[in-house]
Amino acid sequence: MDKLRQARILAMAGYFGLLLLLPLWYAVLSPPQLPLGIVLGFLLLPLLFPLRGLLQGRPYTYAWASFLSLVYFIHAAVEFYSTPPDRYLALLELLLSLAFYLGCVMYARLGGRMLKKLSQ
C-alpha cells in the first residue's frame, strides 16, 4: 500500500472516529448539563464542513482540515484535565484527533506533491 493511501486511511479513521465518538459520548455515555442540541451542534457542525472534500480526496481540504483537528485535540486535552470520570473518552478523542491531524498533514503533503508533478 502506498503512503498516500495510508495517510488517507489514517485521516479518515480519525475523522469518522470523532464523528462517531462525540455524539456517543455526549448523548449516551456522559450527558452534559447544557442542552444536548447546543453541545452537539458546536462539536459536530465544524466536522461536517470538510466531509465532501475529504471523501473526494482533495489535498487542499486535507490541509485546512488538519487545523480543524487541532480544535478537537484541545477539547480532548481540556476534558482530560478537567473531568476525571470522562478521562478514557477524552483520551480516545485525543488519539482520534491526533490520527486525523497526522493523516491530513501527510495526505496534503504527498497529494500536493503528486498534483504538482502531474501539472508539470
Side-chain angles (χ1 to χ4, degrees), residues 45-110:
L45 190 61
L47 272 178
L48 296 178
F49 289 122
L51 178 61
R52 184 177 177 193
L54 292 175
L55 291 175
Q56 293 177 348
R58 295 181 181 162
Y60 179 78
T61 304
Y62 279 82
W64 68 260
S66 67
F67 295 112
L68 178 65
S69 69
L70 296 177
V71 172
Y72 295 94
F73 184 85
I74 292 168
H75 174 260
V78 169
E79 287 290 329
F80 186 83
Y81 179 76
S82 66
T83 317
D86 292 341
R87 281 201 173 140
Y88 69 100
L89 295 168
L91 184 61
L92 184 57
E93 182 184 6
L94 197 72
L95 294 173
L96 289 170
S97 63
L98 189 60
F100 184 36
Y101 174 77
L102 292 174
C104 283
V105 168
M106 289 176 6
Y107 186 88
R109 183 175 175 209
L110 296 170

Side-chain angles (χ1 to χ4, degrees), residues 1-2 4 11 20-21 24 27 41 44 48 52 56-58 60 68 76 84 90 106 113:
M1 191 176 344
D2 64 335
L4 187 65
L20 292 173
L21 173 67
L24 185 65
L44 291 179
L48 296 178
R52 184 177 177 193
Q56 293 177 348
R58 295 181 181 162
Y60 179 78
L68 178 65
M106 289 176 6
R113 283 184 185 170

